[in-house]
Amino acid sequence: MNQSDKKIPCVILSIAEGKTWNNIVVQRKVSKKRLFFGKAKKDLDINVGDEAYLEIEVMPSELTETPLRVTLYDKNGVKIDWTIIQPSQIDNIR
């Protein structure tokens, strides 16, 4: 799998303003798992409670557990931020 074509629905749980970036926590709707994104631009029009979605991409790696790149988008498809996680941190990616 190079790119997940599935959009995983989530909701914005919190937005903490930092000096340079905003820190955002989202919660997946089905699994209730939470993910942290630490470098969201400050000028984005997003609020706590907004609908969003995640897209997951398997990264090339020689490691036993291949890292995943998770990208957060708002409901209009605007990229908010991305992070890298291990597959064990997220369930049922397909």
Side-chain angles (χ1 to χ4, degrees), residues 4 16 22 56 64 80 86 88-89:
S4 172
N22 283 343
I56 299 173
T64 307
I80 297 173
Q86 293 301 317
S88 59
Q89 293 178 281

Side-chain angles (χ1 to χ4, degrees), residues 46-83:
I46 54 172
N47 298 295
V48 172
D50 283 356
E51 302 284 323
Y53 66 90
L54 305 168
E55 287 187 352
I56 299 173
E57 178 183 349
V58 176
M59 300 179 64
S61 175
E62 295 178 8
L63 301 173
T64 307
E65 192 174 32
T66 305
L68 303 173
R69 178 182 169 126
V70 181
T71 307
L72 174 64
Y73 296 90
D74 72 8
K75 63 184 174 196
N76 299 316
V78 176
K79 183 177 174 182
I80 297 173
D81 196 5
W82 63 275
T83 190

Side-chain angles (χ1 to χ4, degrees), residues 1-55:
M1 174 175 89
N2 289 337
Q3 174 82 24
S4 172
D5 57 357
K6 185 175 181 182
K7 295 177 180 179
I8 301 169
C10 62
V11 65
I12 307 289
L13 282 186
S14 69
I15 301 172
E17 291 192 33
K19 288 184 179 183
T20 307
W21 308 99
N22 283 343
N23 300 314
I24 297 177
V25 176
V26 301
Q27 181 171 295
R28 291 182 55 198
K29 288 189 171 187
V30 175
S31 69
K32 305 297 183 200
K33 287 207 175 216
R34 295 177 180 187
L35 288 173
F36 172 82
F37 295 89
K39 281 193 165 183
K41 293 180 183 176
K42 289 183 161 284
D43 62 351
L44 294 172
D45 184 24
I46 54 172
N47 298 295
V48 172
D50 283 356
E51 302 284 323
Y53 66 90
L54 305 168
E55 287 187 352

